[in-house]
């Protein structure tokens, strides 16, 4: 049966989406200096919600030293619950569901953002980017505390009224850093072999699922986002990711979410270049868990292109630029979709300078002055 974007979708834990489109997680850097949700931020989410099946929020830190940048969201203390409750209810209009993305930046931050503290990671290896600091390797006790922090974050997300959490294991942040042979050079229980590099992800996923099951809350979902390849040598290869996906697909997760810049991108790995990366991932999953695809989706053809190899479609920049993108597509008004972000529209759409900065890095042709 052909999948359609207008289909409803039910996850394993019972949550139902009104269609197959989700807003991709996008950091807008609008929180206060102390990471509390601003009113502008909840208004921004309200403006971009209501049409899609679900909104996945920006990455939200589970520990104070997991903060990745100024203006980010956080959930490492009960003091964040009132702001996050406002955020969840801003998203939940017209039946749209609210999913909170939770993460720890690991080595992808710096001591200025952390107010003088060093970043932490699996090992004391700096990222390959300009000005990257050498992180402090986490002790075993700190690793166990971190797993507890992901569990506490999940319990707070339930209290704040979210419909689910997405574990951010993509885009080079801490969960990925443990799996990567570049950032994980440990030789204890948490590194050394692929199996041991997976242990942190394994224990976080199991811990979070257990917290949800024990909470007694109905329909609260747990998803996992991953990046399929790293360019560093050593780094995560498609071979590694296929093993990771195989392991995750056997867990009681509600979905897996591949992070890609372009949904139909093909690997440079000669063992995996006969079809798109997403097609290989879907093949490995083999129906065990739903897959969310993403990456430069702009048109109906793109939506159908993702649905050929996934169950759900996440859309980032197209929705940021035109919050009415989904209804225009559903109602056959594709020609009226805004494709570029004009300077004088930024305030009206509440697109922050932080988001514009990201857009400038990733896709400057979508910004017009
Ligand atoms: C402004 C901006 C902020 C982003 N922040 C996050 C984030 O917090 N977490 C995440 O997993 N991905 C983040 N991404 C990546 C998007 O989720 C998405 O994977 C990427 O933009 C490709 O989809 P698109 O072409 O539909 O925008 C961000 C992207 C943009 C443009």
């Amino acid at each position: 049966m052909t999948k359609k974007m207008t289909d409803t979708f039910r996850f394993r834990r019972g949550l139902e989406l009104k269609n197959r489109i989700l807003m991709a997680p996008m950091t807008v850097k609008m929180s206060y200096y102390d990471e509390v949700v601003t009113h502008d931020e909840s208004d921004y989410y309200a403006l971009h919600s209501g049409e899609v099946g679900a909104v996945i929020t920006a990455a939200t830190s589970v520990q104070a030293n997991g903060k990745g940048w100024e203006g980010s969201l956080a959930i490492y203390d009960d003091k964040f619950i009132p702001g996050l409750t406002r955020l969840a209810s801003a998203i939940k209009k017209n039946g749209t569901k609210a999913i909170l993305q939770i993460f720890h930046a690991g080595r992808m931050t710096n001591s200025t953002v952390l107010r003088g503290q060093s970043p932490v990671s699996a090992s004391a290896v700096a990222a390959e980017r300009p000005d990257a600091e050498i992180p402090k390797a986490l002790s075993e006790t700190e690793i166990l505390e971190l797993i507890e922090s992901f569990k506490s974050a999940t319990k707070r997300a339930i209290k704040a009224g979210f419909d689910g959490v997405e574990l951010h294991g993509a885009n080079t942040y801490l969960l990925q850093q443990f799996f990567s042979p570049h950032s994980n050079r440990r030789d204890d229980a948490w590194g050394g072999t692929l199996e041991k590099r997976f242990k942190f992800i394994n224990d976080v996923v199991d811990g979070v699922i257990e917290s949800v099951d024990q909470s007694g809350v109905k329909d609260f979902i747990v998803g996992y986002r991953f990046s399929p390849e790293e360019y560093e040598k050593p780094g995560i290869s498609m071979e590694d990711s296929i093993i990771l996906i195989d392991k995750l697909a056997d867990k009681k997760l509600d979905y897996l979410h591949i992070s890609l810049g372009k949904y139909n991108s093909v690997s440079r790995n000669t063992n995996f270049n006969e079809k798109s990366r997403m097609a290989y991932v879907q093949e490995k999953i083999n129906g065990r868990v739903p897959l969310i695809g993403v990456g430069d989706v702009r048109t109906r053809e793109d939506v159908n292109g993702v649905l050929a190899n996934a169950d759900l479609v996440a859309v980032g920049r197209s929705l940021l630029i035109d919050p009415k993108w989904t209804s225009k597509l559903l109602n056959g008004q594709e020609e009226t979709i805004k494709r570029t972000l004009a300077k004088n529209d930024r305030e009206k759409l509440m697109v922050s300078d932080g988001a514009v900065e990201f857009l400038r890095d990733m896709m400057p042709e979508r910004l017009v002055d």
Side-chain angles (χ1 to χ4, degrees):
M1 208 177 64
T2 328
K3 290 169 258 174
K4 294 201 300 290
M5 66 184 273
T6 47
D7 297 340
T8 58
F9 188 87
R10 187 183 284 274
F11 292 99
R12 159 184 279 157
R13 286 189 175 71
L15 188 76
E16 188 168 284
L17 303 188
K18 61 180 178 176
N19 59 48
R20 288 182 188 249
I21 308 291
L22 297 94
M23 180 153 134
M26 279 184 291
T27 290
V28 284
K29 303 184 175 174
M30 284 170 109
S31 301
Y32 287 112
Y33 71 95
D34 61 356
E35 301 153 281
V36 168
V37 180
T38 58
H39 285 270
D40 278 356
E41 193 163 25
S42 44
D43 290 350
Y44 158 85
Y45 274 95
L47 185 70
H48 288 81
S49 188
E51 297 187 349
V52 290
V55 169
I56 307 171
T57 69
T60 307
S61 336
V62 300
Q63 277 193 349
N65 66 357
K67 178 177 178 171
W69 48 85
E70 296 301 341
S72 66
L73 293 165
I75 190 161
Y76 55 81
D77 191 281
D78 285 350
K79 74 174 182 196
F80 297 111
I81 294 177
L84 291 168
T85 304
R86 184 160 35 80
L87 185 63
S89 60
I91 293 173
K92 286 163 76 163
K93 58 177 207 188
N94 302 329
T96 296
K97 307 297 182 195
I99 300 169
L100 187 79
Q101 188 183 63
I102 55 175
F103 96 129
H104 187 294
R107 68 179 184 175
M108 297 302 282
T109 183
N110 60 62
S111 46
T112 307
V113 169
L114 300 183
R115 310 289 185 266
Q117 271 191 57
S118 283
V120 296
S121 187
S123 299
V125 179
E128 287 182 14
R129 63 169 187 173
D131 305 321
E133 293 177 21
I134 299 176
K136 219 168 68 48
L138 288 156
S139 69
E140 167 115 38
T141 312
E142 288 168 330
I143 294 175
L144 297 175
E145 279 167 10
L146 249 164
I147 296 167
E148 289 307 311
S149 298
F150 274 95
K151 291 163 67 175
S152 308
T154 304
K155 290 177 200 154
R156 292 191 185 105
I158 294 172
K159 277 198 189 136
F162 283 92
D163 299 297
V165 286
E166 176 173 284
L167 300 171
H168 190 4
N171 306 356
T172 73
Y173 297 116
L174 188 67
L175 280 159
Q176 182 175 332
Q177 287 162 32
F178 265 89
F179 192 57
S180 168
H182 188 278
S183 34
N184 187 343
R185 313 277 173 106
R186 302 177 76 98
D187 55 9
D188 59 3
W190 307 91
T193 61
L194 183 142
E195 201 65 41
K196 289 179 179 174
R197 283 189 274 117
F198 175 66
K199 182 170 164 54
F200 181 62
I201 296 177
N202 181 71
D203 292 8
V204 169
V205 170
D206 287 353
V208 165
I209 288 176
E210 191 188 276
S211 300
V212 173
D213 289 346
Q214 285 174 356
S215 75
V217 71
K218 246 180 86 306
D219 297 354
F220 187 91
I221 63 169
V222 183
Y224 190 93
R225 191 171 214 209
F226 65 93
S227 293
E229 281 183 291
E230 288 180 339
Y231 294 107
E232 291 90 355
K233 295 267 177 277
I236 297 172
S237 63
M238 273 304 281
E239 281 87 352
D240 294 344
S241 289
I242 291 296
I243 298 171
L244 172 78
I245 289 149
D246 191 37
K247 290 174 180 295
L248 291 175
D250 281 338
K251 299 215 174 269
K252 257 175 57 199
L253 285 162
D254 289 275
Y255 68 80
L256 293 180
H257 184 177
I258 187 168
S259 179
L260 293 169
K262 184 94 194 126
Y263 69 89
N264 52 8
S265 65
V266 174
S267 174
R268 282 190 237 158
N269 181 330
T270 48
N271 297 325
F272 290 91
N273 64 0
E274 282 177 5
K275 49 192 173 190
S276 68
R277 293 179 170 108
M278 202 155 72
Y280 281 106
V281 169
Q282 190 204 29
E283 185 180 76
K284 190 70 207 174
I285 292 175
N286 195 20
R288 285 177 285 170
V289 61
L291 176 66
I292 304 182
V294 73
D296 203 17
V297 171
R298 301 183 190 205
T299 63
R300 185 177 297 275
E301 289 68 45
D302 293 334
V303 169
N304 292 332
V306 174
L307 289 178
N309 289 304
D311 304 280
L312 295 155
V313 187
V315 181
R317 289 164 289 191
S318 291
L319 275 170
L320 190 96
I321 294 168
D322 191 342
K324 298 273 162 228
W325 182 89
T326 317
S327 61
K328 287 178 180 172
L329 211 65
L330 292 177
N331 301 329
Q333 297 166 330
E334 250 193 282
E335 68 293 346
T336 66
I337 290 175
K338 287 198 176 146
R339 306 273 176 203
T340 52
L341 185 62
K343 201 165 197 169
N344 51 13
D345 276 344
R346 288 176 205 168
E347 205 173 322
K348 202 166 64 199
L349 294 175
M350 304 194 67
V351 176
S352 63
D353 292 347
V356 169
E357 223 177 89
F358 250 112
L359 280 173
R360 187 162 284 128
D361 280 354
M362 292 169 75
M363 206 165 270
E365 77 275 14
R366 297 194 81 173
L367 287 175
V368 285
D369 288 328

